[in-house]
Amino acid sequence: MGARGWRGRGGWQPGEAPSAEDAGAWFGGRLPEGWFTGAPEVTVDREEIVVVGELPALQEEYADEAASAAAEAGRISRFREETRDERIEIARQAEHRYQRKVAWGARLGDTVELFTTLSAPVMTRLRQPERMVLDTLVDAGVARSRSEALAWAVRLVGEHADTWLAELREAMSTVDDLRAKGPDLG
């Protein structure tokens, strides 16, 4: 169907990108030894792949949580700088393979930092009651714009509906599996 195609109830969507079901395995095999303490967490959506790995624990003891958090942030910053060129090359390869942008992150102790993640625009139409909710968030100083208020609301729903969203994703995966096993009507 070209670059754009009709995808049912979701409306017009970008053309299908290649499957990224094997992205976790690909990154696990591609990443240099010693970067992370185990396999990285690889999260994929339609536009982006985010790779977050656990860095080796700090050996030093710190006086308090603030000092420990500062040391963790510093170690993540050092990892980011030391691996920049190689991460860029790996990202180029993955972007070619999966036709999605790649973002990186690192976790150390209680500190998690993501590096240069994608912010994708999303268009929607809202009726007055929904617009009033966004305007209230803007007027109250929770957000600077309707766009930021909507992003805040989506994050809030995501934080409080993790179990339900996980069940929904699992059900959608089951439907995809059944659809793939169905007869070829083409």
Side-chain angles (χ1 to χ4, degrees):
M1 271 198 190
R4 292 192 160 299
W6 181 254
R7 293 211 9 206
R9 293 168 44 189
W12 285 98
Q13 300 293 330
E16 291 294 319
S19 172
E21 288 182 21
D22 66 346
W26 187 86
F27 277 98
R30 176 61 182 87
L31 295 179
E33 298 288 327
W35 269 17
F36 303 127
T37 60
E41 176 184 331
V42 178
T43 308
V44 179
D45 71 7
R46 291 180 183 121
E47 292 88 18
E48 181 178 38
I49 299 172
V50 179
V51 181
V52 179
E54 179 80 29
L55 298 179
L58 297 172
Q59 300 302 313
E60 299 82 9
E61 297 290 325
Y62 296 94
D64 56 29
E65 287 184 30
S68 180
E72 290 169 356
R75 177 61 186 96
I76 290 172
S77 178
R78 182 175 68 174
F79 168 81
R80 183 179 185 182
E81 292 302 317
E82 289 175 350
T83 62
R84 182 181 314 275
D85 291 340
E86 200 161 4
R87 283 185 297 106
I88 289 170
E89 179 55 32
I90 293 168
R92 282 189 187 129
Q93 293 170 10
E95 287 169 5
H96 178 75
R97 179 181 178 100
Y98 298 111
Q99 296 179 11
R100 293 167 173 86
K101 290 295 184 185
V102 175
W104 298 88
R107 176 181 297 108
L108 180 56
D110 293 332
T111 305
V112 178
E113 289 190 26
L114 299 179
F115 318 146
T116 319
T117 57
L118 180 67
S119 181
V122 178
M123 297 289 292
T124 187
R125 295 186 186 279
L126 300 175
R127 299 204 184 279
Q128 188 179 37
E130 292 90 7
R131 293 190 312 266
M132 289 175 69
V133 170
L134 298 180
D135 291 343
T136 299
L137 294 171
V138 172
D139 293 344
V142 173
R144 292 180 300 228
S145 66
R146 283 179 170 176
S147 175
E148 191 176 279
L150 186 56
W152 179 86
V154 169
R155 279 192 303 274
L156 186 66
V157 168
E159 289 172 7
H160 295 288
D162 280 342
T163 302
W164 180 79
L165 288 171
E167 289 174 9
L168 182 60
R169 288 184 186 110
E170 186 176 321
M172 290 175 4
S173 176
T174 301
V175 169
D176 288 343
D177 291 345
L178 289 172
R179 189 178 294 134
K181 292 177 186 174
D184 183 13
L185 302 176

